[in-house]
Amino acid sequence: MILAEGLATGLFAVTILSLMAGFPVAFTLAGTALFMGGLGWMLGVFDPSLLGAIPSRIFGGAMWNETLLAVPLFVFMGIMLEKSRVAEELLDSMGLLFGSLRGGLGISVFIVGALLAASTGIVGAAVVTMGLMSLPTMLKRGYDPRLAAGSVCAAGTLGQIIPPSIVLILLGEQISNAYMAAQSLKGNWSPEPVSVGDLFAGALIPGLCLVGLYILYQVIMAVFKPESSPALLREEVTGSVQSLPLMLLRSLLPPVILIIAVLGSILMGIATPTEAAAVGAVGAILLAALKSDEGSKLPVYAAGIGIPLLLLLANGTDLTRIAVDGIGPEALLAFVLIAVILAGLVIGLRRLLRRGILGEVCQSTMEMTAMVFVILIGATIFSLVFRGLGGDEMVYRLLSDLPGGRFGALLVVMIVIFVLGFFLDFVEITFVVVPIVAPVLLLMDISPIWLGIMIALNLQTSFLTPPFGFALFYLRGVAPPEITTGVIYRGVAPFVLLQLLALALLALFPALATWLPAVLNGTRY
Amino acid sequence: MTHLTALAQLLDRLSATVGKYVSWLALAMVLVQFLLVLARYVFGIGIIALQESVIYSFALLFMAGAADTLRRDGHVRIDILYEKLSEKGQAAINLLGSLFLLIPVCLVILILSWPYVAGSWQIMEGSRESAGLPILFLLKSLLLVFPIAMILQGLATILRAIDVFRRREGTS
């Protein structure tokens, strides 16, 4: 027993050390686990037949996983949207709107960050775009470089917490499994399942609170340290004032429509995340095709208008009986609309194909999907060995023996995730740490949604924490030379504190996360 | 060019070609899923075989695309130390990692999956739904394709690493 648990602890330590060497994470996780398992087998404390579950786990957990099917679709949508330059147009018009205020450029970065988060949710893209566009303007206007760099990083990471986000999908799946496991241990064999949609709903208010905190910080800085965030001079606000409303409309309309359609339909429980993501991806294709400046825009616009019209028509009339009733005028209209949509889509796709954009987007989608799911495979093998060595029972005892009961256990888990977040990224933490700790916490009657959002907020923070915060890397890659790594590190420090403040608020007021899912979906936890 | 680099290039090209074709499944997923949404919300029809084809595309996308992703160095590394290493240091990490982590892991997956996949072939396993795709055994065979493709690409990584060491010795 002691030997096995020694090996389980050793496994965790050896894995962390090996990861530091820099070989791809997925294989390091699985490889060190298999070596420790082999050692345990030789010492007679590990039953190798447990590994026989590997193929069925990979098949059932990764390949045939209808929840995680949404991941590549959302990735495709995000990358395609990046090509449609929505971010650039939003930054331009928001800069115009707020630029003449003190701290206005900073505020515009946070608002654009939130809008991008709700439509694409790809952190790298948001940080890079804002780092290329907003950061130079802010520096030129005399913004404190630390404040400017920190704002761009923090605004970029909003994509992780504001739904729809990849983190929330992966977490939702893990929390749902953990909740099922915890409930069946308690003798409840038919618990109410937790869905990804519940987590999306739960994350919305905490995400918006975070945006509020960021903006509040920027306002306070502008009031008490005016030299840190000066206003643009009037003549620098480019473009005539008359054209501003039109510009705002042009830049805001596409992302706002996408947000309402995709996020709205998931939150209202009309569509599954997979279905909503597919519609969103088609919307992103049409938007990108519009920007390709080639040929007539009419067919693409027609397709874009056709989709909501068709769904409205389907909502207003009953087309499900055409096989029985024959084709009436409504059905005819529906077929015409479908033809228009498909024609516009094909024309748009051809343009993107010719410009090489379509191939790039597909390639990036494949790479990101393979990266995530190969880590899932590696983490599956790691978890099998860790459990086989009795690691999960050890964690259970450790967490239940802590002083302070539920609160103590939750606090320790949050600290562990925060610290791991300095070195690991969200995919590994979600796939390795969450399945180990979440069932234990959920056994203590902690709300699964609240726990999920706490973890999500914590993981989002890991994007900002040096030295391995992804947002910092992305910004470093595109920032002008005077923005050194040191400036970025010091710049994000206040935002990391704001993150911790938001976590503390959420810990004190669980209703921030649990209220909206209860109202929308009637969840009772 | 030595035989080593020629072989490495051949293996790279294999992964790249597979990756290039497989990546289009991302678009296929979007379009088929979109059609399914139209069918369901407009006409109230669910087409199980088509829904399953989205899952097949998804599994193929990452199981068959993983090797090309490895070739492009797309699998996450913790590069705090790695990025500071010399070309030779990085080559050493990749050589040791492929030899002692990647290839053993893939061999274990391959060996353990063999009976699982063979069992599926024996009964020509199909979908659990009667209207589903009758070729589940082919999908499950990806459990063999994935480790084999990864071992081949791992071999290419090893050959390139050896080449780095050789060139260093040649110039010094």
Side-chain angles (χ1 to χ4, degrees), chain A residues 8 16 19 102 116 180-181 278 308 380 386 444 454 457 489 516:
Chain A
I16 298 273
L19 283 172
R102 240 196 287 155
L116 290 179
M180 289 294 172
T380 305
F386 190 72
M444 301 177 180
M454 292 277 282
L457 203 54
Y489 284 3
L516 193 62

Side-chain angles (χ1 to χ4, degrees), chain A residues 21-25 27 31 35 51 62-63 69 270-271 275 278 282 314 319-320 362-363 367 370-371 373 423-424, chain B residues 23-24 33-34 40-43 58 62 68-69 72 74 76-79 81 93 97-98 100 102 105 112 139 150:
Chain A
F23 194 69
V25 168
F27 309 106
F35 272 105
L51 295 179
M63 291 163 67
L69 199 58
I270 300 169
E275 293 170 331
V282 167
L319 294 170
T320 57
C362 285
Q363 182 77 38
E367 271 183 44
M371 184 271 278
F373 285 90
F423 310 101
L424 304 180
Chain B
S23 71
W24 289 102
Q33 186 66 49
F34 179 68
R40 181 178 153 201
Y41 288 89
V42 178
F43 300 111
F58 162 61
F62 70 87
D68 189 33
T69 307
R72 290 163 165 258
V76 178
R77 306 170 179 267
I78 296 190
D79 51 6
L81 299 175
I93 296 277
S98 304
F100 294 109
L102 175 77
V105 166
L112 291 175
L139 184 68
M150 292 307 271

Side-chain angles (χ1 to χ4, degrees), chain A residues 338-378:
Chain A
I338 290 176
V340 168
I341 293 167
L342 294 184
L345 191 55
V346 168
I347 291 171
L349 283 173
R350 280 183 50 134
R351 286 179 193 169
L352 294 174
L353 181 66
R354 256 204 304 273
R355 300 179 45 127
I357 292 175
L358 197 54
E360 269 171 48
V361 172
C362 285
Q363 182 77 38
S364 307
T365 307
M366 178 184 82
E367 271 183 44
M368 208 168 315
T369 309
M371 184 271 278
V372 170
F373 285 90
V374 173
I375 293 180
L376 177 58
I377 292 174

